[in-house]
Amino acid sequence: MFLKLKRNFLLFLGLAIVLTMAFLAVFAPYLTPYTPTEQNLDKMLFAPCAEHIMGTDAVGRDIFTRLLYGARVSLWVGFIAVGISSLIGVTLGLISGYFGGMIDEIIMRIVDIMLCFPSFFLILAVIAFLEPSVINIMIVIGFTSWTGLARLVRAETLSMRERDFISAAKLSGAGKMRILCVHILPNTLAPVLVSATLGTAGAILVESSLSFLGLGVQPPDPSWGNILLDGKDVLTNAPWLSLFPGLAIFITVLGYNLLGESLRDILDPRLKQR
Amino acid sequence: MLFSMHAVWYFIKKLLWVFLIFTGITLISFFVMHLAPGSPTDMQTSLNPLVNEAYRAKLNALYGLDKPVYEQYFDWFSRLVQFDFGNSLSGDGRPVLDKIMERLPLTVGLNVTSLLLALVIALPIGIISAVHQGKFIDKLFTFLVFLGFAMPGFWLALLLMMYLGIEHGILPISGITGLDFQELSFWGKCFDVARHLFLPVLVSTVGAIAGTSRFLRSSMLEVLRQDYILTAKAKGLTKRCVIYKHALRNALLPVITLLGLSVPGLIGGSVIIESIFALPGLGQLFYGAVMARDYPLIMGNLVFGAVLTLAGNLLADFCYKLADPRISLHSPK
């Protein structure tokens, strides 16, 4: 059932997009004769042609090359940010759900506060203060996007806590750590995987928004957002400079969303309704 | 019934709770801002060779930056509850409250308009998708919703600017009024502003439609499975009556909460929309404040963002209780 192409068309489409993007990012140097920061003032603002399939920018850099290297940044940010937020979300969710009481109350109130935060405001302020850099972006996105997952894992843990196999584990003398890590954690992996996939899409969008505002990846290093920012200034005479990076973001985010939603349908039929 | 003792108690508890969250938000923001390296006085002093340590210390003392962070927080918070947000550190030194209030109407107006528009458009999409679950029309809408989810707002904005603004010259692409605004009649002015706000509203509406329609679809699907829908059908009511009278009313309830929860996202999104379309709103003000490290202005913006969010949540909560007779205001035991 899992591998029926016709039934899971969207899953395969998503997977294909995700894998293609990963491939392009990993093998970027072998796929283009140019480097992302090499300027060529004889070739400023070339329209797409055989030599430069996506044209060149205002200082003659090849857009296709910059997009390939930009993919590296975007995917890295997505993965690391999601890694951080998953780690925080899962840990707090497990603790909150399993121990309950005062700890649960405190953690859930923190979640409430975070949900009321205009988090993009906070991200913007922190990035501007700490100097914009890829590392800071990863950390800040990671630290502001764990709330949804914490709630999910908590709910899952709560429903797991009273099951017979947990009682059995307790009776056979398993400690709290063992029960949490060996018996409960694996059962929460499905929602974690789904939320990580969707979270990657979200993180990529936030990173490109930040770079578009000039607070993300700093030039001359390429990122999809800052190529778009370059494109904004020459919108009238070089529309391709705005078209392609946006398309890259769009397709990548679409791929992760499709993959995440299809995984949710397959892994957890109960969640399908939501 | 609504204003019984229980209801009063409920709202007192709710208000206390809101105050707690509000304090939490200000605490986190304040400490994050102030623990970050760098100081707002750097901007004024670092390029000036005549500035020495003594002067810098004097400047810091003037702004109260020489005290420990927690003391600064208490000072700031005790002034905040008297609606004193302090003065901006920028050249004009105007009160933060004035600066925010003159920007607030545009941002709130823009977001409320696009939220309502999105709701109106998402409603039929969600209903049709749910009623025809799995059919072609549902798949088509689902596909479009996915496209909407993945569409970066700033890219859509650039594409629309390129196509409608530059290539066809139909719509203005930046600012809120045209150059000849002063000479226009009253209706001419209204039309001018509407023309300028068309693209920004369109962009933020598209972003909101996807989420709202998807959520309505699943909420509708859940309701359609309930026993009372079966009862309604068994009574021989028409399909139309069952869907619009029995199902839709219940399916709309969770959407109220969703709209309340979407406020922080909208506020954050306005930074981008306003910077692309050069609109003088709260988002642009915040961006400028962040760039200049204008602490009082940044904190003022964060506080207003939090207040708007909490107000949105409270309003949603209140509407929900008003709309759903199953939830009484008696405190749950």
Side-chain angles (χ1 to χ4, degrees):
Chain A
M1 184 205 122
F2 197 98
L3 290 172
K4 262 190 195 147
L5 184 62
K6 216 178 152 193
R7 268 185 84 173
N8 291 311
F9 174 69
L10 291 180
L11 172 78
F12 283 95
L13 183 64
L15 197 62
I17 295 175
V18 166
L19 290 179
T20 310
M21 283 298 165
F23 174 82
L24 292 178
V26 171
F27 293 102
Y30 306 101
L31 299 171
T32 165
Y34 309 100
T35 65
T37 49
E38 148 194 283
Q39 304 188 358
N40 188 342
L41 296 181
D42 296 332
K43 291 183 175 176
M44 292 191 299
L45 293 179
F46 269 27
C49 55
E51 233 176 299
H52 300 278
I53 53 171
M54 291 183 181
T56 62
D57 68 4
V59 286
R61 294 174 296 199
D62 181 54
I63 297 300
F64 178 65
T65 308
R66 286 179 70 74
L67 286 183
L68 286 179
Y69 283 88
R72 292 185 158 188
V73 175
S74 293
L75 295 184
W76 262 124
V77 170
F79 293 153
I80 304 290
V82 162
I84 295 174
S85 76
S86 301
L87 198 68
I88 303 176
V90 171
T91 313
L92 292 184
L94 280 177
I95 293 175
S96 194
Y98 190 72
F99 294 105
M102 202 56 195
I103 302 177
D104 179 36
E105 191 69 19
I106 292 172
I107 292 177
M108 284 302 115
R109 294 301 78 86
I110 295 176
V111 168
D112 284 339
I113 293 175
M114 296 292 288
L115 281 176
C116 280
F117 236 112
S119 59
F120 194 70
F121 264 31
L122 189 70
I123 292 177
L124 216 90
V126 173
I127 293 288
F129 282 18
L130 293 180
E131 303 295 310
S133 78
V134 181
I135 305 277
N136 286 340
I137 292 173
M138 292 168 178
I139 295 175
V140 175
I141 296 179
F143 270 90
T144 47
S145 55
W146 51 269
T147 47
L149 187 61
R151 278 191 167 175
L152 261 179
V153 172
R154 173 179 176 269
E156 204 74 4
T157 311
L158 274 178
S159 78
M160 214 60 73
R161 198 172 61 173
E162 309 300 330
R163 299 276 185 85
D164 288 342
F165 73 93
I166 298 297
S167 313
K170 269 186 200 158
L171 284 175
S172 59
K176 281 181 181 139
M177 268 312 269
R178 189 175 161 81
I179 290 179
L180 270 180
C181 298
V182 179
H183 298 286
I184 295 183
L185 183 63
N187 285 300
T188 63
L189 279 185
V192 172
L193 189 63
V194 171
S195 119
T197 315
L198 296 175
T200 309
I204 290 174
L205 268 179
V206 173
E207 182 272 321
S208 56
S209 310
L210 284 172
S211 294
F212 181 73
L213 287 173
L215 285 171
V217 178
Q218 296 300 299
D221 289 333
S223 114
W224 292 339
N226 72 25
I227 304 173
L228 254 177
L229 179 62
D230 293 342
K232 187 181 143 199
D233 299 331
V234 287
L235 200 56
T236 17
N237 39 9
W240 56 88
L241 204 49
S242 309
L243 192 66
F244 294 117
L247 201 61
I249 302 169
F250 178 60
I251 292 177
T252 311
V253 171
L254 184 67
Y256 278 95
N257 279 341
L258 285 175
L259 187 64
E261 295 279 341
S262 318
L263 278 178
R264 167 183 317 199
D265 287 354
I266 292 168
L267 291 175
D268 199 347
R270 260 182 319 125
L271 286 172
K272 203 172 182 175
Q273 306 154 9
R274 277 281 150 197
Chain B
M1 195 57 201
L2 182 64
F3 295 106
S4 64
M5 267 317 278
H6 287 298
V8 173
W9 253 121
Y10 175 81
F11 280 106
I12 289 178
K13 268 206 307 212
K14 195 81 199 173
L15 279 178
L16 272 177
W17 171 223
V18 163
F19 182 75
L20 214 78
I21 290 203
F22 177 76
T23 314
I25 291 179
T26 57
L27 253 173
I28 295 179
S29 327
F30 198 90
F31 281 89
V32 167
M33 294 303 95
H34 286 256
L35 292 179
S39 146
T41 48
D42 285 352
M43 283 289 240
Q44 299 169 16
T45 54
S46 61
L47 291 177
N48 189 340
L50 296 174
V51 169
N52 56 22
E53 271 313 310
Y55 181 77
R56 201 168 278 159
K58 213 169 138 190
L59 204 58
N60 280 335
L62 177 69
Y63 294 133
L65 295 167
D66 54 340
K67 295 182 196 158
V69 183
Y70 64 90
E71 224 171 280
Q72 288 185 45
Y73 177 76
F74 282 118
D75 283 355
W76 176 80
F77 197 80
S78 58
R79 273 182 282 123
L80 181 73
V81 288
Q82 305 163 40
F83 292 101
D84 177 8
F85 285 73
N87 291 337
S88 164
L89 296 184
S90 68
D92 58 6
R94 292 174 51 211
V96 167
L97 194 60
D98 290 1
K99 280 192 147 184
I100 290 177
M101 286 320 264
E102 66 190 23
R103 304 283 190 122
L104 197 63
L106 179 66
T107 302
V108 171
L110 206 72
N111 284 324
V112 169
T113 314
S114 22
L115 207 56
L116 290 180
L117 270 176
L119 192 60
V120 169
I121 300 170
L123 217 56
I125 297 180
I127 296 171
I128 293 172
S129 276
V131 173
H132 302 279
Q133 189 192 6
K135 305 257 174 60
F136 173 74
I137 186 87
D138 178 32
K139 284 185 176 153
L140 179 72
F141 279 144
T142 303
F143 184 67
L144 289 178
V145 162
F146 269 112
L147 293 190
F149 264 133
M151 177 71 80
F154 47 96
W155 188 50
L156 182 64
L158 286 182
L159 291 183
L160 287 171
M161 280 163 90
M162 207 145 66
Y163 188 73
L164 293 175
I166 297 170
E167 205 164 305
H168 291 274
I170 310 171
L171 289 166
I173 56 170
S174 76
I176 184 169
T177 54
L179 291 173
D180 53 352
F181 186 69
Q182 288 310 325
E183 291 129 50
L184 294 171
S185 65
F186 175 72
W187 290 111
K189 282 182 181 171
C190 291
F191 182 67
D192 192 44
V193 171
R195 264 167 52 89
H196 278 82
L197 293 184
F198 184 82
L199 283 183
V201 168
L202 182 66
V203 171
S204 41
T205 306
V206 168
I209 290 175
T212 318
S213 64
R214 192 77 189 151
F215 194 79
L216 185 67
R217 175 183 178 273
S218 50
S219 152
M220 192 79 181
L221 280 178
E222 206 164 298
V223 170
L224 285 175
R225 266 198 292 269
Q226 302 292 319
D227 287 341
Y228 59 82
I229 296 297
L230 196 65
T231 314
K233 278 188 193 156
K235 276 198 300 187
L237 296 179
T238 58
K239 200 175 177 192
R240 176 174 287 267
C241 180
V242 173
I243 291 170
Y244 289 95
K245 267 198 143 159
H246 294 78
L248 182 60
R249 286 190 186 178
N250 290 297
L252 271 178
L253 290 173
V255 177
I256 298 177
T257 317
L258 177 78
L259 292 184
L261 279 176
S262 64
V263 177
L266 287 173
I267 297 173
S270 53
V271 178
I272 295 170
I273 300 270
E274 284 169 16
S275 93
I276 295 178
F277 291 105
L279 299 174
L282 214 54
Q284 219 189 36
L285 183 71
F286 182 71
Y287 183 74
V290 162
M291 286 320 217
R293 301 206 167 195
D294 192 340
Y295 283 162
L297 195 51
I298 294 172
M299 286 308 297
N301 266 298
L302 285 171
V303 166
F304 262 81
V307 168
L308 287 178
T309 307
L310 289 170
N313 285 350
L314 266 187
L315 197 69
D317 208 53
F318 187 71
C319 291
Y320 200 117
K321 302 247 151 36
L322 218 54
D324 191 348
R326 281 171 303 186
I327 298 176
S328 71
L329 293 167
H330 298 266
S331 53
K333 287 276 146 67

